[in-house]
Amino acid sequence: MRLKNILLGIVSACVSLTACMEETLIEEPHPGNASIVDVKVALAPSNVITKAGGVTTKAYATPEELNIQNCVLAIFEKEDSEGWKRVSSKYYSSLDETGKAAEENFSRLFTIVENVKLTLNKTYKMRVIANIDENNRSEYEACQTEEDFERIVEGEASDEYAFDAGKLLKSGFKEVKVDASTANTVIEIPLTLVAARINLDIKVKIGEVTFERTYYDMEAFESINLNMTKPYKPDELRDIFGGKAFTFQNWNEVKSNGVQVPTSGQLHYGDRPINMPSGSGVKGVCIPNFKAMRIDEYQGYVIELSAIKVKNIRTQAIAVLPLQENNFHCIEKGLSKDKELQRYTFYTYAKNVDSSLPLTIEYTGQVYKTTIQKQTPVTTAWFAFADTQNIWGSTGTKPIILDTGWSNSSTVFFTALEAGNWQEDSSIEVPKDDVTQTPVGTEYTQSFPIIPNDPVGPIANGHLYNVTATIKSLTITGELDVDIKEYGEKNVEDGFN
């Protein structure tokens, strides 16, 4: 059986919030050098992502995802219309969280403790990479050009899952023109996550079920001793039900006992109507105003999960080139299992849609054949007849034509009068649908890729993906919904919705 993936996704080309923005700023000239100004540099991790695919629902970054522990600040001075000259590249571990950023879509602000000196009437590009691996510090500080940053790989090459929400790699830059007319001396550099967050919901539902049969439990609410495989004479069956029951040779005897005489279609065995024979010579047993349980039995298949894995999580990336053809190192991560619904949150660096190693969910479990008994309590007049046609336990809607006689001992079947006095009795506690399971074969393993396809696009950095996978196991099919949510403009302390 093949897993059918219905891939519903929303993603669009990500318009990076780290796009160039020009800002002019100045401070009063230094007494010793009128051309030099001091500025503060603040880092503003994005609380929003660019709206993609027409999605209107919003979500929020967690405080941990916005955290910054360290950074590298590289400053380049514009030499001409195309070139940039390195001024400095320095590592900082001392940052003060100084409140909310000035821009609308940024909640937390981290300010580098040291002042940065800039020259009037110059244009600078400030490149920031935050939460770097300290082992890469010397490489970053040695960078002479922007292209040098494209050779530094962040992340682990081991098979261990090492993403930490409070240490997520972030990147951004800003162009700044230092002008004498500008009084603002704080440069806020917007940062976006280099990773993507995946919220994975896995649901396991009983697959499509098929109706098997209907029968009645006549002993559900009364203490009687009835064996449905044993033949009975009419008087023997009547005595089992006690004083309520009576035998009848024709419909007139039913009427004389104060019970409505059924017409064709008013007696039912399950969903099969009873057609009355012509004449009045029907023999049977009537149990008026009796409470029994109708049981409709269905069968289907379900899978009980024993293992869930996420394969091809990308664990390495270049901060300034988050989306690349080369996926670097990819790992698999085992997840704890839950029979009905479990949410897992994990991160991956950006993945191209045409990757040879797509992000893949693999699940393993035991398939069971499942029998479901839908139980409905019924209070009505019941009629028992000789079961000469093997009706007990039958299915379908085909009408039943009664035999008129009941000679000697015979197995029996019961029918319910569904006329004016028919009622489903909801006044008592009844068991929930009874489910029994029988293993089918050995453990079953299946997988499906997570590929946003509306429109087709990558799993992009700085995006949040909600993935809902519903496993239906009659045909072992999976329904996969993938959507991207826009981070909202709400205070981050309100948390993630």
Side-chain angles (χ1 to χ4, degrees):
M1 289 176 282
R2 289 178 61 87
L3 178 72
K4 180 182 178 184
N5 294 323
I6 301 174
L7 301 179
L8 301 175
I10 299 177
V11 71
S12 71
C14 180
V15 182
S16 174
L17 289 178
T18 61
C20 287
M21 289 175 282
E22 185 173 291
E23 182 174 317
T24 57
L25 30 99
I26 184 71
E27 190 170 280
E28 288 297 319
H30 288 260
N33 190 339
S35 64
I36 300 297
V37 295
D38 286 337
V39 296
K40 287 287 187 182
V41 175
L43 313 182
S46 174
N47 189 39
V48 303
I49 60 173
T50 303
K51 186 173 181 178
V55 176
T56 56
T57 51
K58 293 182 178 181
Y60 303 93
T62 65
E64 291 79 10
E65 288 173 332
L66 299 177
N67 191 46
I68 296 177
Q69 293 189 327
N70 63 46
C71 76
V72 169
L73 170 64
I75 301 176
F76 297 89
E77 179 185 321
K78 192 170 187 178
E79 290 188 303
D80 51 40
S81 59
E82 296 181 358
W84 296 88
K85 178 182 69 174
R86 176 186 183 272
V87 175
S88 64
S89 183
K90 187 173 181 180
Y91 173 84
Y92 294 93
S93 59
S94 296
L95 297 100
D96 287 339
E97 185 171 355
T98 52
K100 184 175 172 56
E103 293 191 36
E104 181 178 38
N105 295 331
F106 300 84
S107 289
R108 300 174 74 182
L109 195 64
F110 298 82
T111 301
I112 294 174
V113 172
E114 297 180 16
N115 287 343
V116 176
K117 298 184 182 298
L118 301 178
T119 303
L120 287 172
N121 301 319
K122 295 287 187 178
T123 298
Y124 296 92
K125 180 185 289 185
M126 294 188 171
R127 166 74 66 181
V128 172
I129 302 173
N131 293 337
I132 69 165
D133 183 344
E134 292 190 8
N135 292 323
N136 292 332
R137 171 181 173 175
S138 59
E139 284 190 72
Y140 282 115
E141 291 186 321
C143 288
Q144 297 298 310
T145 66
E146 286 200 271
E147 288 72 22
D148 289 342
F149 286 93
E150 298 176 6
R151 292 190 283 270
I152 303 176
V153 177
E154 288 280 349
E156 297 292 333
S158 71
D159 290 334
E160 296 296 323
Y161 179 85
F163 285 98
D164 183 330
K167 300 177 181 179
L168 293 174
L169 189 65
K170 300 171 180 66
S171 178
F173 70 92
K174 194 169 191 176
E175 288 188 20
V176 178
K177 183 178 180 182
V178 182
D179 189 279
S181 64
T182 305
N184 183 8
T185 60
V186 177
I187 303 172
E188 293 185 9
I189 301 178
L191 303 180
T192 55
L193 290 177
V194 180
R197 169 150 59 108
I198 311 291
N199 288 339
L200 171 65
D201 286 335
I202 291 187
K203 302 177 183 178
V204 178
K205 290 186 177 180
I206 292 177
E208 298 176 12
V209 294
T210 56
F211 176 74
E212 292 294 316
R213 62 175 182 149
T214 293
Y215 62 95
Y216 300 104
D217 182 358
M218 306 304 291
E219 301 175 84
F221 308 108
E222 297 285 345
S223 296
I224 58 176
N225 186 16
L226 178 66
N227 185 347
M228 291 303 297
T229 64
K230 179 182 176 180
Y232 292 100
K233 294 179 180 179
D235 290 348
E236 293 174 333
L237 188 64
R238 176 201 60 198
D239 292 344
I240 288 174
F241 285 91
K244 292 182 179 180
F246 62 87
T247 60
F248 58 90
Q249 299 291 322
N250 53 60
W251 293 123
N252 288 333
E253 293 184 9
V254 172
K255 184 177 182 180
S256 65
N257 279 275
V259 177
Q260 175 185 334
V261 176
T263 58
S264 290
Q266 289 186 324
L267 280 183
H268 281 74
Y269 175 80
D271 294 324
R272 300 183 65 183
I274 308 295
N275 287 344
M276 301 304 174
S278 57
S280 59
V282 179
K283 297 180 180 179
V285 175
C286 178
I287 310 102
N289 196 33
F290 186 79
K291 187 179 296 182
M293 185 77 79
R294 170 176 169 162
I295 300 174
D296 297 297
E297 193 170 276
Y298 300 81
Q299 288 188 347
Y301 292 85
V302 68
I303 184 169
E304 184 176 303
L305 298 181
S306 58
I308 304 169
K309 296 178 182 178
V310 184
K311 292 188 170 184
N312 303 326
I313 295 175
R314 182 181 168 201
T315 62
Q316 290 183 303
I318 293 173
V320 297
L321 297 174
L323 183 59
Q324 297 172 291
E325 294 297 330
N326 185 352
N327 279 313
F328 294 110
H329 191 71
C330 293
I331 65 169
E332 71 176 39
K333 173 179 170 60
L335 306 174
S336 60
K337 69 181 180 67
D338 189 280
K339 290 184 180 180
E340 295 181 358
L341 170 63
Q342 181 68 45
R343 166 161 284 197
Y344 311 95
T345 295
F346 60 92
Y347 299 89
T348 181
Y349 287 127
K351 307 265 305 177
N352 268 320
V353 70
D354 57 353
S355 168
S356 61
L357 298 172
L359 197 63
T360 300
I361 307 300
E362 179 184 276
Y363 61 90
T364 300
Q366 177 65 56
V367 177
Y368 292 90
K369 184 177 182 180
T370 304
T371 300
I372 306 154
Q373 293 182 338
K374 182 181 178 182
Q375 301 176 349
T376 306
V378 176
T379 300
T380 188
W382 294 83
F383 291 83
F385 302 101
D387 193 5
T388 58
Q389 304 176 55
N390 296 320
I391 293 169
W392 188 256
S394 64
T395 63
T397 59
K398 183 179 179 181
I400 298 169
I401 299 177
L402 280 179
D403 291 331
T404 57
W406 186 343
S407 58
N408 300 319
S409 295
S410 175
T411 55
V412 299
F413 72 99
F414 291 86
T415 66
L417 179 63
E418 299 185 24
N421 59 346
W422 163 271
Q423 68 182 79
E424 293 186 2
D425 193 338
S426 59
S427 63
I428 58 170
E429 291 289 331
V430 296
K432 293 183 178 179
D433 293 352
D434 188 22
V435 177
T436 58
Q437 296 182 334
T438 304
V440 177
T442 58
E443 279 197 328
Y444 177 88
T445 298
Q446 188 55 274
S447 63
F448 55 86
I450 298 177
I451 301 176
N453 72 335
D454 189 17
V456 173
I459 294 179
N461 65 295
H463 283 59
L464 161 65
Y465 295 86
N466 285 332
V467 180
T468 300
T470 302
I471 301 171
K472 296 182 177 180
S473 54
L474 177 60
T475 54
I476 317 299
T477 62
E479 292 182 355
L480 181 65
D481 293 333
V482 181
D483 72 87
I484 181 172
K485 285 194 173 182
E486 179 187 11
Y487 281 107
E489 299 166 5
K490 199 173 183 179
N491 194 321
V492 69
E493 277 73 25
D494 289 338
F496 174 74
N497 285 354

